[in-house]
Amino acid sequence: MATSATIGSYISTVNTHLNSKSIPSLLRISTSRVPRVHSMPHLYHTCITPKPRIFSRILAAVSQEEVTATTVEEEVKGEEEEAVKEEQVEVESEVGGEGEGEGEGEETVMKVNTKLYFGNLPYNCDSSQLASVVQEYATPEMVEVLYDRQTGRSRGFAFVTMSSVEDCEHVIKNLDGTQFNGRTMRVNFSDKPKEMVPLYKETKHKLFVGNLSWSATSEDLEKLFQKCGNVVSARILYDGDTGRSRGYGFVSYLSQEEMEEALQTLEGEELDGRPIRVSLAQGGRRNP
């Protein structure tokens, strides 16, 4: 009892000193017991209890992005197919119109064609922008981007007249199949339309790549994924109206093994300063 009284007196004396203004109140000693975790359920749930709903929301958001990406990709493919059909009709009418006005009895003069056809152009590309691209290789005489008469929107293709066949061939060599604002251009002589072939080759070994930086290009994507094998195609999707990256893309490999290696090793890999997400794309297949 004497010992307890002595200890109680000591604590009381210390607390009296601690109550002074010169010492912070946080240093006060208390004889009360420290409450256990189970006596503070609000603290227990805040600090200890995991929240699985947060993880499920994150997974749902990622899955939704992949579904959206696949939907957008299908829409873009549909737009491109429609554009190709329109372009072919336009090219045929253009070629047919060039021979009009010649009399039956007049001597036929072989006309050298120096008009080029540019297909799969971004919808925000105008004549001046296309001219600046062509001028890197030769000087165009005339650039005509075709527009929809009702909406005023570009139809995604154009005709460019050069001064010589040599200039035409030089432009075709350097621009056909190249990327312009995220789209692969088709360039050929206007009177020699190309056979319809898919612009982007794909295989069943296809991956979805998300969280891409806005400045990353399809070439950057292909270079990164080539670490794991033969890349058949690497494509970042862009907004057709603004030309801005959508922040995700698709990569197709030649084999199952290459795709599996990319899934295992490239998740979280940095591309242009951002860690990428890699997953099996919808429509992609894994061997059982």
Side-chain angles (χ1 to χ4, degrees), residues 11-255:
I11 292 175
S12 176
T13 303
V14 172
N15 279 335
T16 301
H17 287 289
L18 290 175
N19 282 330
S20 65
K21 295 181 180 179
S22 60
I23 301 177
S25 60
L26 291 175
L27 297 177
R28 296 177 188 173
I29 299 175
S30 174
T31 57
S32 61
R33 297 176 65 185
V34 177
R36 297 181 181 276
V37 171
H38 61 71
S39 67
M40 298 182 293
H42 63 285
L43 180 61
Y44 176 79
H45 286 293
T46 301
C47 302
I48 301 174
T49 304
K51 295 186 177 181
R53 285 181 296 178
I54 295 177
F55 298 106
S56 64
R57 287 173 185 171
I58 293 173
L59 291 174
V62 172
S63 299
Q64 183 59 43
E65 183 186 29
E66 294 181 17
V67 171
T68 302
T70 304
T71 303
V72 170
E73 185 189 30
E74 293 301 321
E75 290 176 354
V76 170
K77 286 180 180 178
E79 287 182 0
E80 290 172 352
E81 289 174 0
E82 288 298 320
V84 168
K85 292 177 182 177
E86 288 185 10
E87 292 163 10
Q88 287 187 329
V89 172
E90 193 70 34
V91 169
E92 289 172 2
S93 63
E94 184 78 15
V95 173
E98 290 180 356
E100 294 179 0
E102 295 181 357
E104 294 181 0
E106 295 179 4
E107 183 179 354
T108 303
V109 178
M110 194 64 129
K111 186 178 180 181
V112 177
N113 180 42
T114 58
K115 181 179 287 188
L116 295 176
Y117 157 79
F118 278 72
N120 199 42
L121 296 175
Y123 292 114
N124 63 341
C125 172
D126 57 26
S127 297
S128 61
Q129 289 176 317
L130 183 57
S132 65
V133 173
V134 177
Q135 282 172 350
E136 295 182 17
Y137 305 100
T139 303
E141 292 185 352
M142 185 167 62
V143 179
E144 306 169 273
V145 173
L146 276 69
Y147 293 85
D148 186 285
R149 293 179 181 178
Q150 294 182 344
T151 65
R153 184 191 187 194
S154 167
R155 295 168 67 183
F157 57 94
F159 292 100
V160 177
T161 304
M162 308 301 296
S163 57
S164 68
V165 174
E166 290 73 23
D167 284 349
C168 289
E169 292 173 344
H170 189 56
V171 169
I172 292 173
K173 180 181 178 181
N174 287 278
L175 291 180
D176 183 37
T178 61
Q179 292 276 322
F180 178 36
N181 285 354
R183 305 195 71 159
T184 303
M185 292 190 294
R186 289 192 300 269
V187 186
N188 52 262
F189 283 100
S190 62
D191 59 348
K192 298 177 183 178
K194 285 186 175 181
E195 181 184 354
M196 278 186 65
V197 293
L199 287 169
Y200 305 97
K201 297 179 180 179
E202 290 184 349
T203 68
K204 62 182 180 181
H205 312 301
K206 183 179 177 182
L207 297 173
F208 167 81
V209 187
N211 198 42
L212 296 173
S213 71
W214 305 122
S215 57
T217 65
S218 297
E219 288 82 0
D220 295 332
L221 194 63
E222 181 178 4
K223 184 178 179 181
L224 175 63
F225 278 77
Q226 277 178 340
K227 294 179 180 179
C228 299
N230 298 305
V231 174
V232 176
S233 67
R235 182 187 188 190
I236 293 177
L237 271 65
Y238 292 80
D239 186 280
D241 293 321
T242 65
R244 187 185 183 193
S245 167
R246 294 180 183 269
Y248 48 78
F250 296 92
V251 175
S252 290
Y253 277 106
L254 195 61
S255 70

